[in-house]
Amino acid sequence: MPTYEFRCKACGSTFDVKRSMDEASAPAPCPNGHDDTVKLLSMAGLGGQANAPAGGGGGCCGGGCCS
Protein backbone atom coordinates (compact mmCIF):
# COMPACT_ATOMS: atom_id res chain seq x y z
CA MET A 1 0.00 0.00 0.00
CA PRO A 2 1.47 3.42 -0.96
CA THR A 3 2.51 5.97 1.65
CA TYR A 4 1.57 9.62 1.17
CA GLU A 5 3.10 12.59 2.98
CA PHE A 6 0.92 15.36 4.37
CA ARG A 7 1.65 18.66 6.14
CA CYS A 8 -0.64 20.36 8.65
CA LYS A 9 -1.24 24.03 7.91
CA ALA A 10 -2.18 24.75 11.53
CA CYS A 11 0.86 23.34 13.37
CA GLY A 12 3.32 22.67 10.53
CA SER A 13 3.85 18.99 11.35
CA THR A 14 4.57 16.55 8.53
CA PHE A 15 3.18 13.02 8.69
CA ASP A 16 2.76 9.92 6.53
CA VAL A 17 -0.48 8.10 5.74
CA LYS A 18 -0.68 4.62 4.19
CA ARG A 19 -3.74 4.27 1.97
CA SER A 20 -4.83 2.89 -1.36
CA MET A 21 -4.25 4.87 -4.54
CA ASP A 22 -8.02 5.37 -4.83
CA GLU A 23 -7.90 7.36 -1.57
CA ALA A 24 -4.71 9.29 -2.37
CA SER A 25 -6.44 12.68 -2.66
CA ALA A 26 -8.77 12.25 0.32
CA PRO A 27 -8.20 14.62 3.26
CA ALA A 28 -6.03 13.32 6.10
CA PRO A 29 -6.43 14.72 9.62
CA CYS A 30 -3.28 15.79 11.46
CA PRO A 31 -2.20 13.49 14.32
CA ASN A 32 -2.48 16.58 16.56
CA GLY A 33 -6.21 16.89 15.76
CA HIS A 34 -6.17 19.58 13.05
CA ASP A 35 -8.14 19.19 9.82
CA ASP A 36 -6.41 21.74 7.57
CA THR A 37 -3.79 19.58 5.83
CA VAL A 38 -2.27 19.34 2.36
CA LYS A 39 -0.78 16.38 0.53
CA LEU A 40 2.87 16.95 -0.38
CA LEU A 41 4.48 16.01 -3.67
CA SER A 42 6.81 13.11 -3.06
CA MET A 43 9.79 12.52 -5.30
CA ALA A 44 10.32 8.93 -4.14
CA GLY A 45 10.53 6.52 -7.04
CA LEU A 46 10.88 9.29 -9.63
CA GLY A 47 14.65 9.32 -9.79
CA GLY A 48 16.22 7.97 -12.91
CA GLN A 49 19.75 6.94 -13.55
CA ALA A 50 21.67 10.09 -12.70
CA ASN A 51 24.97 8.50 -13.62
CA ALA A 52 23.84 6.88 -16.86
CA PRO A 53 26.44 7.22 -19.63
CA ALA A 54 25.63 9.59 -22.47
CA GLY A 55 25.77 8.54 -26.09
CA GLY A 56 23.94 6.50 -28.67
CA GLY A 57 22.18 3.34 -27.71
CA GLY A 58 22.55 1.53 -30.99
CA GLY A 59 19.95 1.07 -33.66
CA CYS A 60 19.79 2.98 -36.89
CA CYS A 61 19.37 6.52 -35.56
CA GLY A 62 21.12 6.07 -32.21
CA GLY A 63 24.20 4.21 -33.34
CA GLY A 64 25.38 6.41 -36.16
CA CYS A 65 24.69 4.01 -39.03
CA CYS A 66 22.57 6.50 -41.01
CA SER A 67 24.39 8.46 -43.68
Side-chain angles (χ1 to χ4, degrees), residues 7-25:
R7 176 170 291 140
C8 178
K9 290 182 179 181
C11 68
S13 67
T14 302
F15 57 97
D16 295 333
V17 176
K18 287 186 180 183
R19 55 170 58 162
S20 68
M21 292 176 73
D22 292 340
E23 299 173 331
S25 297

